[in-house]
Amino acid sequence: EVHLVESGGGLVQSGGSLRLSCAASGFRFRDYAICWVRQAPGKEREDVSCLGNDIHSTWYADSVKGRFTVSSNNAKKTLYLQMNNLKPEDTAVYYCAVGHIDGSDAYGVPYEYNYLGQGTQVTVSS
């Protein structure tokens, strides 16, 4: 059974930082890309950052490049998202998500996700 459990969300002022964590288990890590996605009220879900199955390949949305950093522990059982210089437009529920690498684009971003966590709220005040 797949488990994705996010933590680390909260309320922060503009310019502040947060670190999200995702404890992952129940699937073969080498077969999946593991990503952070977010959804703000009234908006479509947005891919934020992905870590490829080889843990060395990373992808970032243009909106977060230079501010967010994705990483994992060696076993890829915990995924992190370090978010710096947060902006009000980063406010959203952030989800940990996994998608099979066979269904990913050239950048390693899955076309669809097989599993999502329950999400953690990030709120950035101006």
Side-chain angles (χ1 to χ4, degrees):
E1 185 178 358
V2 175
H3 288 281
L4 299 169
V5 182
E6 302 95 337
S7 61
L11 173 64
V12 65
Q13 288 188 331
S14 182
S17 298
L18 284 174
R19 189 192 197 204
L20 305 184
S21 298
C22 170
S25 63
F27 59 95
R28 294 204 326 181
F29 297 102
R30 64 183 181 186
D31 294 336
Y32 290 85
I34 186 166
C35 302
W36 290 99
V37 302
R38 67 186 181 187
Q39 188 162 24
K43 295 187 178 181
E44 292 189 355
R45 194 172 65 197
E46 175 188 18
D47 297 317
V48 175
S49 180
C50 289
L51 189 67
N53 63 327
D54 66 359
I55 77 170
H56 298 297
S57 60
T58 58
W59 174 88
Y60 297 94
D62 288 342
S63 57
V64 306
K65 276 182 184 176
R67 301 188 297 122
F68 291 11
T69 303
V70 66
S71 63
S72 72
N73 62 1
N74 289 337
K76 212 169 130 180
K77 293 183 178 179
T78 304
L79 182 74
Y80 304 101
L81 186 68
Q82 178 66 43
M83 306 186 294
N84 298 329
N85 191 21
L86 282 160
K87 304 176 181 181
E89 51 264 42
D90 295 317
T91 295
V93 178
Y94 284 71
Y95 299 89
C96 183
V98 294
H100 202 280
I101 56 171
D102 289 345
S104 300
D105 65 17
Y107 300 99
V109 181
Y111 292 114
E112 61 180 23
Y113 294 99
N114 302 94
Y115 307 101
L116 265 72
Q118 84 288 349
T120 185
Q121 176 71 47
V122 171
T123 303
V124 185
S125 63
S126 57

